[in-house]
C-alpha cells in the first residue's frame, strides 16, 4: 500500500471512529427504545384483551349459573333425573324460562343447551348437542370447553344444579364463539403485523388455534401447534406459560417476533400477542441505512481530500523512487527533481549527489574495463598465437615434456581469454548495457543445435543426452546467440555435476503464453543453502565426485540475466541426494 493511501486510511480511521462509535450507541439506544415501546404496547393490548375475554366468559358463566338456579329449569332437571325418558322436559323448561325477561336478556346468543348428570352424561339436549353422549366437567372454570362442528365454533358453559346440598345435575349452554373472535380481531395499536389469538391444548403433543389468525383466517381448529416447537409463543401459551419474548421467538409464519403470552386459567386457554420484529425495528433499520449512506459519502469525501493532501507529500517521493529505479537499472544519469527545502528535499539532494558519484565511478569502471579489454586481450591473443605456432612448427622436434607444457600453456591462455570475456559480459550486465538483438527464432531448432554441439563433450564422459525434439516449431522473439548460451550453460552444468555414464534429459513444452526448456540431470541434488546462492556471481557448488571445482561461478549468473532480459524465468527444482 502506498504512503498516499496509508495516509488516507489513517485520516479515514481517525475521522470515522468517533462517528461510528456515536452511531453505534445511537443505534443500540434507539433499538432498545423501540423494543421497550413495542413490548409495553403489546403487553397492554394483550392484557386488555385477556381482561375482556375473562369478563365475557364470566358473564356467560354467571348467566349459565343463573339459569341453572331458575326454578322452572331446576324443576325440569329434577323431573328428568326422576324420569330419564321424558325428552321434552328441557324444551318445556326453557320455554317457560324464556318468558322471564331477565333470563332472555342474559343469554341473547344462546345456541343450544343440555341437562346432564353430575358426571356429564347427557339426559336431554337441544339439537346442537344432541349427537353427544357426555360433556366435559370443568368445575371451577368459567369456560367448560370450546369446540367446532359443522355449525361453527361454540363456547360451552356449565353450572352445577344442587339439590339438598348435592350436585346431582349440570346445565350446559353453548354460545357462538364469534364473540371471542371479535375481541382478538380488535388490533388497535398493533400496526400492520401485530395480532392476538387464543390457543388451547388438544393432547400431550399438540395444541390448536381457537380464533382466526391475522394472516390465516381459517386457522381456528384447522391448524395445529406442535408443542415441541418451544420457540413459538403459541406453543408456550398452550404449555401454560405466561412470559414475554423480546428475542429468539418466531411466529407461525417463521418470522422473528416480539411476543407476550398469558395463560387464562379460568378458561383453560392461552392468549398470545405478537408483532414482527421487522416492523418494530423498521425505523432503526431506516436510520441504519441512512447512516451507511452518510458514512459512504463521508468515506468517499475523506478519501478524495486525503488523497489530494497525501499526493502533495507523496509526489516528490515518487519522483525520487522513479530516479532510484533508473539508477538501479544502470542509468547513472538519473536525477530527482527537487522542488522543496523540507526533509524530502534534503533526501533528494543527497540522492542526486550519490547518483553523481556513482556516474563518475561507473565511467571510471568503464574506462578500466576498456583498458583491460585492450591491454589484456592483445598479449593474451599474442601468447595464444605464439604457442600455437611453436606447437605446429616444432612438431616432432620437441620432447614429450616440452609439448605437454606448451599444450598446458595454450589451455591456460584460453581459460584466461574466456575469463576476460566473462568479466566484460558481467560488467555490461551489471551496468544495464547488455542489449538483445531479438528476431523470430525457432526455440526447438535452437535447442536442437545446442544439444548437437555438446554431444562430443558428453561422449568424453560416456554421457548421453536424451532429447526428442517437438514436431512443430516454437517461435519466440529472442536473441538466439544469448539464448543459446543459456541452454549450453545448463547442459554444461548438468554434465559437470552428473556421474560418468549417466543420462541428461532435455524436454520442451508450451501453452498459450509461454514455452520452456527443461534440463534434468542425474547428479546428487542441491541443498537448500546452495539453491539460494545458485544464481549469484562467483558462486560455485562443489562436486563431490571431482577433486576440484571448475569455472568461476559466472555462467548461471549470466544465464539468469539473459533470461530476465527476455522477460522469462530461470529456476531450479532439486533436493539433496536425488
Amino acid at each position: 500500500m502506498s504512503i498516499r493511501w496509508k495516509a488516507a486510511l489513517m485520516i479515514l480511521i481517525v475521522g470515522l471512529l468517533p462517528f461510528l462509535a456515536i452511531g453505534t450507541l445511537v443505534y443500540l439506544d434507539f433499538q432498545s427504545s423501540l423494543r421497550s415501546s413495542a413490548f409495553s404496547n403489546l403487553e397492554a393490548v394483550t392484557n386488555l384483551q385477556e381482561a375482556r375475554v375473562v369478563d365475557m366468559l364470566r358473564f356467560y358463566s354467571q348467566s349459565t349459573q343463573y339459569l341453572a338456579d331458575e326454578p322452572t329449569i331446576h324443576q325440569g332437571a329434577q323431573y328428568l333425573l326422576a324420569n330419564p325418558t321424558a325428552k321434552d322436559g328441557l324444551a318445556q323448561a326453557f320455554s317457560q324460562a324464556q318468558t322471564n325477561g331477565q333470563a332472555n336478556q342474559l343469554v341473547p346468543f344462546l345456541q343450544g343447551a343440555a341437562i346432564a348428570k353430575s358426571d356429564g352424561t347427557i339426559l336431554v339436549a337441544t339439537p346442537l348437542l344432541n349427537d353427544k353422549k357426555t360433556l366435559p366437567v370443568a368445575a371451577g372454570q368459567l369456560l367448560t370447553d370450546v369446540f367446532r362442528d359443522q355449525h361453527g365454533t361454540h363456547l360451552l358453559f356449565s353450572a352445577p344444579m344442587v339439590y339438598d346440598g348435592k350436585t346431582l345435575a349440570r346445565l350446559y349452554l353453548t354460545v357462538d364463539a364469534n364473540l371471542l373472535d371479535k375481541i382478538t380481531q380488535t388490533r388497535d395499536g398493533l400496526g400492520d403485523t401485530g395480532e392476538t389469538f387464543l390457543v388451547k391444548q388438544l393432547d400431550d403433543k399438540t395444541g390448536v388455534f381457537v380464533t382466526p389468525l391475522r394472516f390465516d383466517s381459517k386457522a381456528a381448529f384447522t391448524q395445529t401447534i406442535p408443542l415441541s416447537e418451544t420457540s413459538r409463543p403459541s406453543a408456550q401459551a398452550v404449555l401454560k406459560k405466561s412470559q414475554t419474548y423480546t428475542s429468539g421467538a418466531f411466529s407461525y409464519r417463521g418470522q422473528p417476533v416480539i411476543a407476550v403470552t398469558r395463560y387464562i386459567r379460568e378458561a383453560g386457554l392461552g392468549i398470545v400477542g405478537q408483532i414482527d420484529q421487522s416492523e418494530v425495528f423498521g425505523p432503526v433499520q431506516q436510520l441504519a441505512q441512512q447512516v451507511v449512506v452518510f458514512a459512504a459519502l463521508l468515506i468517499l469525501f475523506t478519501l478524495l481530500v486525503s488523497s489530494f493532501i497525501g499526493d502533495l507529500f507523496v509526489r516528490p517521493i515518487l519522483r525520487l523512487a522513479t530516479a532510484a529505479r533508473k539508477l538501479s537499472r544502470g542509468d547513472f544519469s538519473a536525477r530527482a527533481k527537487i522542488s522543496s527545502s523540507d526533509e524530502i528535499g534534503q533526501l533528494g539532494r543527497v540522492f542526486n549527489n550519490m547518483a553523481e558519484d556513482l556516474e563518475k565511478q561507473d565511467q571510471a569502471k568503464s574506462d578500466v574495463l576498456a583498458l583491460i579489454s585492450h591491454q589484456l586481450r592483445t598479449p593474451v591473443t599474442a601468447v595464444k598465437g605464439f604457442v600455437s605456432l611453436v606447437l605446429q612448427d616444432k612438431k616432432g622436434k620437441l620432447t614429450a615434456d616440452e609439448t605437454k607444457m606448451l599444450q598446458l600453456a595454450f589451455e591456460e591462455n584460453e581459460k584466461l581469454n574466456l575469463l576476460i570475456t566473462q568479466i566484460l559480459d558481467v560488467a555490461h550486465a551489471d551496468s544495464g548495457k547488455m542489449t538483445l538483438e531479438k528476431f523470430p527464432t525457432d526455440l526447438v531448432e535452437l535447442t536442437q543445435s545446442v544439444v548437437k554441439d555438446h554431444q562430443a563433450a558428453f561422449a568424453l564422459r560416456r554421457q548421453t543426452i536424451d532429447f526428442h525434439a517437438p514436431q512443430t516449431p516454437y517461435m519466440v522473439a529472442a536473441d538466439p546467440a544469448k539464448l543459446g548460451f543459456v541452454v549450453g550453460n545448463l547442459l554444461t552444468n548438468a554434465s559437470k555435476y552428473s556421474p560418468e555414464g549417466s543420462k541428461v534429459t532435455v524436454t520442451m513444452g508450451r501453452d498459450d503464453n509461454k514455452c520452456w526448456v527443461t534440463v534434468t540431470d542425474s547428479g546428487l541434488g542441491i541443498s537448500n543453502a546452495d539453491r539460494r546462492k545458485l544464481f549469484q556471481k562467483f558462486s560455485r557448488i562443489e562436486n563431490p565426485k571431482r577433486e576440484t571445482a571448475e569455472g568461476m561461478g559466472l555462467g548461471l549468473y549470466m544465464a539468469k540475466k539473459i533470461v530476465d532480459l527476455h522477460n522469462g524465468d530461470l529456476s531450479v527444482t532439486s533436493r539433496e541426494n536425488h
Side-chain angles (χ1 to χ4, degrees):
M1 184 183 292
S2 67
I3 296 177
R4 176 192 303 174
W5 292 114
K6 286 181 180 178
L9 185 61
M10 288 178 62
I11 296 173
L12 187 63
I13 292 174
V14 172
L16 280 182
L17 277 179
F19 173 78
L20 292 176
I22 295 174
T24 302
L25 292 175
V26 170
Y27 176 86
L28 294 176
D29 183 66
F30 192 16
Q31 187 180 53
S32 177
S33 298
L34 289 174
R35 180 185 288 110
S36 178
S37 175
F39 165 68
S40 298
N41 185 59
L42 189 64
E43 189 175 44
V45 172
T46 305
N47 291 343
L48 177 61
Q49 293 196 7
E50 179 187 8
R52 288 178 178 174
V53 169
V54 171
D55 287 345
M56 186 200 74
L57 296 180
R58 183 174 288 114
F59 172 78
Y60 285 107
S61 178
Q62 291 173 353
S63 298
T64 304
Q65 187 64 59
Y66 177 83
L67 287 176
D69 294 337
E70 209 280 334
T72 306
I73 295 179
H74 201 269
Q75 292 172 7
Q78 190 175 21
Y79 175 77
L80 286 171
L81 287 171
N83 302 280
T85 60
K87 299 299 184 182
D88 60 341
L90 180 63
Q92 183 179 359
F94 267 97
S95 176
Q96 294 179 6
Q98 287 177 350
T99 61
N100 185 322
Q102 185 176 4
N104 190 43
Q105 180 182 2
L106 289 174
V107 284
F109 301 107
L110 183 64
Q111 291 180 317
I115 294 178
K117 295 180 180 180
S118 59
D119 62 358
T121 303
I122 295 177
L123 294 172
V124 64
T126 58
L128 185 66
L129 299 174
N130 206 24
D131 60 340
K132 299 182 183 294
K133 294 181 178 181
T134 61
L135 294 171
V137 177
Q141 288 193 178
L142 298 176
L143 179 67
T144 302
D145 194 14
V146 54
F147 65 94
R148 185 180 181 86
D149 60 16
Q150 66 272 22
H151 303 292
T153 306
H154 314 281
L155 302 178
L156 182 65
F157 298 91
S158 67
M161 305 180 78
V162 181
Y163 300 91
D164 297 328
K166 295 183 180 180
T167 301
L168 299 180
R170 300 189 72 84
L171 174 66
Y172 289 89
L173 300 179
T174 58
V175 177
D176 192 341
N178 283 335
L179 298 170
L180 287 180
D181 299 349
K182 290 179 180 179
I183 293 175
T184 58
Q185 290 177 13
T186 301
R187 303 187 179 106
D188 294 340
L190 293 180
D192 296 329
T193 60
E195 60 181 320
T196 56
F197 51 84
L198 293 167
V199 293
K200 64 171 280 189
Q201 188 167 0
L202 287 181
D203 51 44
D204 293 339
K205 295 183 179 180
T206 58
V208 67
F209 293 100
V210 174
T211 56
L213 303 175
R214 183 167 195 164
F215 299 98
D216 187 355
S217 60
K218 298 180 180 180
F221 288 94
T222 62
Q223 188 176 144
T224 58
I225 306 167
L227 301 187
S228 58
E229 297 181 358
T230 54
S231 63
R232 301 285 177 91
S234 52
Q236 295 290 352
V238 172
L239 292 170
K240 304 178 182 180
K241 299 291 181 66
S242 295
Q243 295 182 0
T244 59
Y245 305 89
T246 57
S247 63
F250 296 88
S251 70
Y252 54 87
R253 296 178 293 128
Q255 298 295 320
V257 292
I258 292 176
V260 174
T261 62
R262 298 287 183 265
Y263 184 70
I264 310 174
R265 297 188 180 279
E266 304 97 315
L269 300 176
I271 184 170
V272 179
Q274 64 185 27
I275 185 171
D276 288 1
Q277 290 190 19
S278 59
E279 180 177 1
V280 173
F281 300 126
V284 77
Q285 297 297 336
Q286 293 178 359
L287 174 63
Q289 292 174 1
Q290 292 172 358
V291 169
V292 169
V293 172
F294 181 77
L297 294 175
L298 180 61
I299 290 172
L300 181 61
F301 177 76
T302 304
L303 287 176
L304 291 174
V305 172
S306 56
S307 176
F308 174 75
I309 296 174
D311 189 59
L312 297 177
F313 294 96
V314 173
R315 192 180 297 117
I317 297 177
L318 293 177
R319 294 197 193 110
L320 190 60
T322 301
R325 279 193 293 269
K326 292 180 180 179
L327 194 66
S328 67
R329 291 195 294 263
D331 183 5
F332 297 107
S333 64
R335 298 292 185 272
K337 294 182 179 179
I338 307 300
S339 58
S340 64
S341 58
D342 55 12
E343 289 83 354
I344 297 177
Q346 295 175 19
L347 178 61
R349 281 188 287 274
V350 171
F351 174 84
N352 288 340
N353 293 335
M354 179 189 68
E356 188 175 345
D357 291 341
L358 287 175
E359 186 176 22
K360 293 177 181 178
Q361 293 176 17
D362 181 66
Q363 185 59 46
K365 183 183 71 173
S366 298
D367 294 342
V368 170
L369 289 175
L371 179 63
I372 291 175
S373 176
H374 183 268
Q375 297 297 327
L376 288 183
R377 280 187 182 277
T378 300
V380 166
T381 303
V383 170
K384 175 182 177 181
F386 294 151
V387 173
S388 179
L389 286 173
V390 171
L391 286 173
Q392 291 178 5
D393 292 344
K394 301 297 183 179
K395 192 174 182 180
K397 300 180 181 179
L398 298 173
T399 64
D401 290 339
E402 291 172 339
T403 302
K404 183 177 180 180
M405 285 188 291
L406 286 173
Q407 186 65 40
L408 181 60
F410 184 84
E411 292 175 357
E412 292 300 321
N413 188 78
E414 282 292 280
K415 290 181 180 180
L416 180 59
N417 190 32
L418 178 61
L419 176 60
I420 293 170
T421 301
Q422 287 184 335
I423 291 175
L424 289 172
D425 288 342
V426 168
H428 283 112
D430 288 342
S431 63
K433 295 179 180 179
M434 178 184 289
T435 57
L436 300 178
E437 296 181 6
K438 288 185 177 182
F439 53 86
T441 303
D442 182 0
L443 188 59
V444 176
E445 182 180 346
L446 175 65
T447 305
Q448 196 168 22
S449 175
V450 175
V451 168
K452 183 178 180 181
D453 292 342
H454 281 71
Q455 294 284 6
F458 271 68
L460 292 176
R461 301 194 65 212
R462 295 181 292 106
Q463 295 172 331
T464 58
I465 303 177
D466 184 12
F467 175 56
H468 298 285
Q471 298 300 313
T472 58
Y474 289 1
M475 300 305 298
V476 296
D479 184 325
K482 289 185 171 60
L483 214 53
F485 167 82
V486 174
V487 178
N489 183 266
L490 297 181
L491 287 172
T492 300
N493 279 293
S495 174
K496 185 191 303 183
Y497 289 96
S498 295
E500 293 189 4
S502 62
K503 180 175 68 174
V504 172
T505 303
V506 179
T507 57
M508 298 186 69
R510 68 176 175 182
D511 57 22
D512 293 338
N513 299 317
K514 65 175 68 175
C515 54
W516 59 87
V517 180
T518 303
V519 178
T520 307
D521 63 40
S522 51
L524 294 179
I526 306 172
S527 67
N528 289 334
D530 286 338
R531 204 155 53 237
R532 285 193 292 269
K533 62 182 183 180
L534 193 62
F535 299 109
Q536 297 176 3
K537 281 187 294 188
F538 305 110
S539 175
R540 296 181 300 174
I541 298 176
E542 298 297 334
N543 186 351
K545 296 293 184 179
R546 294 194 178 189
E547 295 180 356
T548 58
E550 300 177 357
M552 293 296 295
L554 295 174
L556 284 176
Y557 173 77
M558 286 300 301
K560 186 77 165 69
K561 285 285 187 180
I562 292 170
V563 173
D564 288 344
L565 284 174
H566 282 84
N567 296 318
D569 177 61
L570 180 60
S571 60
V572 59
T573 302
S574 180
R575 67 177 187 267
E576 209 164 0
N577 300 319
H578 187 273

